[in-house]
Amino acid sequence: MQSKTEREKEQILRMSGVNPLKCMRCGKCSGTCPSYDEMEYHPHQFVYMVETGDIEALKNSDSIYKCLSCFACVDRCPRGVEPAKLVEALRLLVIREKGANHLTPNDIPELVDDEIPQQALVSAFRKYSK
Amino acid sequence: MKVSYFPGCTLRTKAKELDFYARKCAEILGAELCEIENWQCCGGVFVSAKDEIATKLSSVRALVAARDANQPLVTVCSACHNVIKQTNHAIQSDEDFATKVNTYLAQDKDFSGPYSGETEVCHYLELLRDKIGFDKIKEAVKNPLKGKKVAAYYGCMLLRPGKVMAFDDPENPTLMEEFIKALGAEPVIYPSRNECCGGYVVVEDAESAKKKSAKVTDSAKNHGADMIVTACPLCKYNLVKNGSELPVIYFTELLAEALGVKEDNYAE
Ligand code: SF4
Ligand code: SF4
């Protein structure tokens, strides 16, 4: 029988379409990541930690909420690995569980001002809630 | 020339001037933006997971409406554009995704037939460059913006992922600079013009967004710009909120000014 880790790894690879074995660990993705300072695990670490099955650590890390979906790591990776898609898959794996939304409508009034564009709110809900 | 038009939720609320001047200038330049009926919010940001289906249906419905009208689908907001173009690409390149999407759509009351990615998705800036042409814009300019040093801020969503958006060279874009030149102003090239403003993360971590935005505005200022232009309401919000010393305006406002149709106190 497959372990939970194996199951989750398989699911992450299927959702993201990423092949971590293409990575040559050059670190360019992390070097270009604008959220590097806010992240505990960086884009290149997502790639090898998914590969080695260190999935719990990623799921429990705030790093999954710090990605800006700016796709810099996707465009600048010399091997076409697309690390952002792994970050996305990990985040979805977490928030798809019941009661695991990272953002709820009740949080909003305290977080925003009158000028915030609708686009920011719909985007945040798309990324942080299910 | 008639094109289908998807305004998006923010252009109806916080970014009305982006929409208003887009329509007005298109008219002058001989393009009619035909707003598609009953459009739904694109969701603001593309979710790359292959098993996210339902959240992408609003984009597909817009694409189908444009296909049925036999027109390209034009957006002005960079976020709508990014989401719709990436969704279109997913339909073209992922058969499983396309099948699932069409299974959903088949239940729509007025379903007009399976969709396989045939609509051309075009940002308003691409419309200006590829279908109207900067020469024609130059001729239409009534009020050349002489002496203005304008920093084009592309951000991420117009450019990336580069292979899918195919908008311009993602590391060294020229479209907005050519646009600025056509209006008689001087484009300012600065290193952070294609880096992220912090995006939606401002909602959960305002400090993080502040750092990203400050980097962009400092970079533009240090390279001698008088103002920043953008196509994205969220970029504008982040740059302004985080203390940009330079004014940040929409590219459609700049266009309207050059074409002589900018209203002094636009407020609706
Ligand atoms: S840039 Fe690409 S190849 Fe280099 S470490 Fe990151 S994922 Fe691996
Ligand atoms: S998409 Fe996310 S992980 Fe990749 S460079 Fe941007 S912020 Fe970093």
Side-chain angles (χ1 to χ4, degrees):
Chain A
M1 220 186 83
Q2 248 186 343
S3 70
K4 182 174 175 228
T5 304
E6 281 165 348
R7 252 195 345 265
E8 287 188 335
K9 178 176 167 183
E10 203 180 294
Q11 192 182 349
I12 290 164
L13 297 184
R14 200 172 50 232
M15 281 160 81
S16 64
V18 168
N19 175 7
L21 294 174
K22 287 203 294 190
C23 173
M24 61 182 182
R25 299 195 185 169
C26 65
K28 195 171 175 193
C29 51
S30 296
T32 200
C33 174
S35 274
Y36 185 92
D37 290 346
E38 284 80 20
M39 284 176 154
E40 175 189 7
Y41 300 114
H42 304 110
H44 75 285
Q45 289 170 295
F46 273 82
V47 179
Y48 79 68
M49 287 170 74
V50 167
E51 175 50 28
T52 56
D54 208 352
I55 286 163
E56 262 327 284
L58 292 173
K59 280 174 74 180
N60 291 325
S61 171
D62 232 20
S63 305
I64 54 177
Y65 306 113
K66 300 299 175 190
C67 170
L68 311 163
S69 302
C70 75
F71 273 57
C73 60
V74 169
D75 265 20
R76 293 169 188 161
C77 166
R79 301 276 300 153
V81 176
E82 309 191 315
K85 295 187 176 177
L86 288 180
V87 183
E88 183 112 282
L90 257 312
R91 188 176 53 243
L92 286 170
L93 202 65
V94 173
I95 63 171
R96 278 178 185 173
E97 283 192 19
K98 195 169 175 219
N101 281 340
H102 184 64
L103 186 73
T104 71
N106 290 338
D107 303 331
I108 293 297
E110 237 177 71
L111 292 171
V112 303
D113 57 25
D114 285 346
E115 299 309 315
I116 192 126
Q118 282 63 21
Q119 177 197 356
L121 298 177
V122 292
S123 303
F125 276 109
R126 186 136 292 181
K127 291 285 171 171
Y128 297 142
S129 311
K130 271 288 139 195
Chain B
M1 172 190 11
K2 286 187 173 186
V3 296
S4 289
Y5 175 47
F6 181 97
C9 60
T10 308
L11 274 70
R12 276 303 163 73
T13 45
K14 287 287 193 278
K16 285 184 181 165
E17 60 276 40
L18 184 53
D19 172 69
F20 179 78
Y21 289 120
R23 292 177 197 256
K24 204 163 181 148
C25 296
E27 221 174 278
I28 295 171
L29 298 168
E32 191 186 333
L33 303 183
C34 311
E35 182 169 336
I36 54 178
E37 268 179 54
N38 299 325
W39 56 265
Q40 304 161 321
C41 171
C42 71
V45 64
F46 187 72
V47 178
S48 61
K50 290 171 181 292
D51 60 354
E52 280 275 323
I53 313 289
T55 49
K56 291 167 187 156
L57 294 177
S58 59
S59 296
V60 185
R61 291 193 177 104
L63 288 160
V64 170
R67 181 216 31 209
D68 294 348
N70 204 9
Q71 291 168 348
L73 179 57
V74 172
T75 52
V76 183
C77 168
S78 0
C80 299
H81 178 66
N82 188 287
V83 173
I84 294 173
K85 211 173 210 171
Q86 291 213 62
T87 303
N88 207 33
H89 179 262
I91 290 184
Q92 291 163 353
S93 58
D94 181 343
E95 214 178 303
D96 184 53
F97 175 69
T99 307
K100 286 179 177 146
V101 161
N102 279 305
T103 308
Y104 268 105
L105 289 186
Q107 296 168 34
D108 283 4
K109 236 187 6 259
D110 45 0
F111 182 53
S112 57
Y115 181 72
S116 52
E118 50 271 40
T119 299
E120 181 194 357
V121 184
C122 188
H123 189 269
Y124 192 93
L125 285 162
E126 292 175 303
L127 180 79
L128 295 179
R129 179 190 59 190
D130 304 332
K131 300 205 193 296
I132 293 170
F134 289 140
D135 285 346
K136 187 160 172 209
I137 295 170
K138 218 184 246 169
E139 283 167 24
V141 167
K142 292 226 170 72
N143 168 29
L145 307 174
K146 274 215 173 63
K148 263 194 188 158
K149 293 185 171 173
V150 184
Y153 180 46
Y154 291 85
C156 339
M157 291 207 271
L158 286 174
L159 299 170
R160 290 190 289 266
K163 282 205 191 93
V164 178
M165 299 313 288
F167 176 88
D168 204 337
D169 178 342
E171 298 304 340
N172 193 17
T174 54
L175 195 164
M176 283 170 88
E177 285 73 18
E178 293 303 319
F179 165 74
I180 290 164
K181 275 192 223 158
L183 307 184
E186 187 189 323
V188 175
I189 309 272
Y190 61 107
S192 293
R193 65 202 171 112
N194 62 343
E195 299 299 336
C196 183
C197 68
Y200 56 83
V201 165
V202 68
V203 176
E204 94 111 40
D205 185 349
E207 234 2 82
S208 165
K210 188 171 184 165
K211 273 164 60 185
K212 320 307 182 240
S213 289
K215 221 175 133 189
V216 173
T217 51
D218 287 352
S219 172
K221 186 166 169 272
N222 293 338
H223 283 76
D226 304 326
M227 59 157 69
I228 298 175
V229 292
T230 172
C232 177
L234 183 50
C235 291
K236 179 176 174 180
Y237 171 79
N238 273 332
L239 300 188
V240 171
K241 180 188 163 85
N242 293 310
S244 175
E245 286 173 42
L246 304 176
V248 184
I249 66 166
Y250 292 121
F251 76 97
T252 54
E253 296 179 88
L254 199 71
L255 178 59
E257 196 182 331
L259 297 182
V261 292
K262 182 87 188 278
E263 291 162 22
D264 282 343
N265 284 309
Y266 174 80
E268 196 23 58

